[in-house]
Amino acid sequence: MDFNLALVTVVITILGIGLDECHSKVVQFIFGDSLSDVGNNMRLSRSLAQASLPWYGIDMGNGLPNGRFTNGRTVADIIGDRTGLPRPPAFLDPSVNEEVILENGVNYASGGGGILNETGAYFIQKFSLDKQIELFQGTQELIRGKIGKRASDKFFKEGRYVVALGSNDFINNYLMPVYRDSWTYNDDTFMDYLIGTLERQLKLLHSLGARQLVVFGLGPMGCIPLQRVLSTTGNCREKANKLALTFNKAVSELVDDFGKHFPDSTYRFGDAYDVVYDVISNPNKYGFQNSNSPCCSFWNIRPALTCVPASSLCKDRSKYVFWDEYHPTDNANELIANELIKKFGLLNSDQGGAPAPAPAVAPSPEDQ
């Protein structure tokens, strides 16, 4: 009897180790703001940064709001689809458990979030990058409890990591006089503070096992509809664009340095500034007709800030670069994603996948 019990114990132990080693699926862990949020803010009841009302999500799935700040897919959605990686659910999605994490990863992105903790404070509730990393540490503890430390370490080291924040640190912090940072720093000292904070956060992610990481740069944020309507001329705000370019240069150099200091890791910088600026400057060249105003707006009242049920929609969403005052449309996101995929040569890797179909465009409310 004792022999049989011992034999069973040995078999279970060996089988357990084997099961641990089987958890080798490659998934994504996404850290970001509203450009990558897939439902976290939807579940932050006091957050003022919301995509929980129509007409957000109108061209995806059942056409109901799903937490994405656009009419369809995010850039991260499209890149993941094209490279064969599963779409990670929002951290706050009630369906998320250990099995879901092991199969799909997690998206911690939060609308209004920034690299700095003070960014976006007037949204009341949002996850800053520090908070998102803290939540990721909780995820790691959960998975360690499920599959053990050795298998867990392997799982997280094989994961793909995306860090896509920074625009809110300018347009919802430094460039707004209501924030202390706007009068505490000048352009140079604020940039040093911002990049220094990001460097600390990327080092922490490396210490937590992130070995394959992409940091996205900023687009021409001075050309989003909100910034244009706040200018006196209706043109792009050049100061904001110059800050974006300075940020991109500094982050690109930071990523290069990380690659040198951590030879066990792969760091990439995702820069789509030039192509986005060209799309905005020459929309017809890319099949768009409008690049300076949002498809979803509150009639002629500008800035509308967000898309609401009482908003009016443009006749053809595929012809607009911007969905609302801040965020690109699905078609624009696809163009940006394809540019990044091309720059990274991702479809030439062993993760190559078939292109994800664009969502069918639902009719505008006026046509229904």
Side-chain angles (χ1 to χ4, degrees):
M1 190 72 173
D2 290 342
F3 173 78
N4 289 337
L5 180 60
L7 181 61
V8 169
T9 302
V10 169
V11 170
I12 289 174
T13 302
I14 295 173
L15 184 60
I17 293 172
L19 288 173
D20 279 358
E21 295 302 320
C22 285
H23 290 289
S24 58
K25 184 170 183 179
V26 175
V27 300
Q28 296 183 89
F29 298 96
I30 296 176
F31 305 85
D33 52 28
S34 57
L35 293 172
S36 306
D37 192 344
V38 296
N40 283 316
N41 278 32
M42 238 179 132
R43 296 172 177 91
L44 293 176
S45 60
R46 292 187 294 114
S47 178
L48 299 182
Q50 287 289 347
S52 56
L53 296 172
W55 303 98
Y56 289 102
I58 188 173
D59 295 318
M60 187 174 184
N62 59 10
L64 297 176
N66 54 54
R68 290 169 173 80
F69 287 75
T70 182
N71 59 310
R73 302 160 297 171
T74 68
V75 170
D77 283 335
I78 298 164
I79 292 177
D81 291 346
R82 293 285 306 275
T83 56
L85 292 171
R87 290 183 184 177
F91 172 80
L92 292 179
D93 188 319
S95 70
V96 171
N97 56 28
E98 294 95 325
E99 287 77 16
V100 170
I101 295 168
L102 289 168
E103 284 295 312
N104 300 287
V106 184
N107 185 322
Y108 304 92
S110 173
I115 294 167
L116 304 175
N117 292 325
E118 62 266 31
T119 290
Y122 68 78
F123 292 127
I124 302 177
Q125 271 188 311
K126 42 79 188 176
F127 294 152
S128 66
L129 182 51
D130 276 338
K131 181 62 178 179
Q132 292 178 39
I133 295 173
E134 179 187 322
L135 297 175
F136 173 64
Q137 290 175 289
T139 297
Q140 289 191 309
E141 291 177 12
L142 195 67
I143 297 303
R144 272 195 294 271
K146 177 71 175 179
I147 65 174
K149 184 180 186 305
R150 184 165 70 169
S152 175
D153 288 349
K154 180 175 184 288
F155 171 71
F156 286 108
K157 284 183 178 179
E158 290 180 349
R160 303 293 185 265
Y161 295 80
V162 174
V163 175
L165 301 94
S167 61
N168 284 317
D169 294 293
F170 295 100
I171 61 178
N172 286 310
N173 184 357
Y174 179 64
L175 294 175
M176 293 188 69
V178 295
Y179 284 96
R180 182 178 178 180
D181 285 352
S182 69
W183 40 269
T184 302
Y185 300 96
N186 60 37
D187 290 358
D188 292 336
T189 57
F190 181 75
M191 196 67 67
D192 289 343
Y193 171 39
L194 187 63
I195 299 301
T197 303
L198 179 61
E199 180 179 9
R200 170 182 61 78
Q201 293 160 333
L202 293 180
K203 284 180 178 177
L204 176 55
L205 282 173
H206 182 271
S207 74
L208 295 173
R211 294 295 181 267
Q212 301 211 39
L213 187 145
V214 174
V215 183
F216 284 173
L218 303 183
M221 58 189 179
C223 295
I224 65 173
L226 176 68
Q227 292 293 304
R228 282 179 181 260
V229 79
L230 292 177
S231 72
T232 57
T233 62
N235 296 324
C236 298
R237 300 181 80 176
E238 288 308 313
K239 177 173 181 176
N241 283 349
K242 287 178 181 177
L243 287 169
L245 288 168
T246 303
F247 175 87
N248 288 351
K249 183 176 184 294
V251 175
S252 177
E253 292 171 354
L254 178 64
V255 168
D256 286 345
D257 287 343
F258 266 71
K260 294 171 185 174
H261 286 99
F262 299 109
D264 63 334
S265 304
T266 300
Y267 289 89
R268 289 175 168 175
F269 176 63
D271 185 6
Y273 183 100
D274 290 343
V275 70
V276 175
Y277 188 82
D278 195 41
V279 170
I280 292 170
S281 303
N282 305 288
N284 294 335
K285 175 180 170 184
Y286 297 88
F288 295 101
Q289 294 175 355
N290 186 303
S291 62
N292 58 20
S293 59
C295 173
C296 185
S297 61
F298 195 68
W299 303 100
N300 292 323
I301 301 175
R302 301 280 308 283
L305 298 184
T306 189
C307 188
V308 296
S311 298
S312 60
L313 300 188
C314 58
K315 288 290 185 182
D316 187 349
R317 297 186 283 283
S318 69
K319 301 300 183 184
Y320 273 65
V321 174
F322 290 99
W323 168 245
D324 61 13
E325 298 281 6
Y326 294 92
H327 308 99
T329 58
D330 177 273
N331 277 41
N333 281 336
E334 183 167 36
L335 190 149
I336 296 166
N338 288 340
E339 175 69 11
L340 291 171
I341 288 169
K342 184 171 66 176
K343 282 189 173 183
F344 292 152
L346 292 178
L347 293 186
N348 294 326
S349 72
D350 57 5
Q351 294 179 23
V361 177
S364 292
E366 293 88 343
D367 301 329
Q368 295 177 336

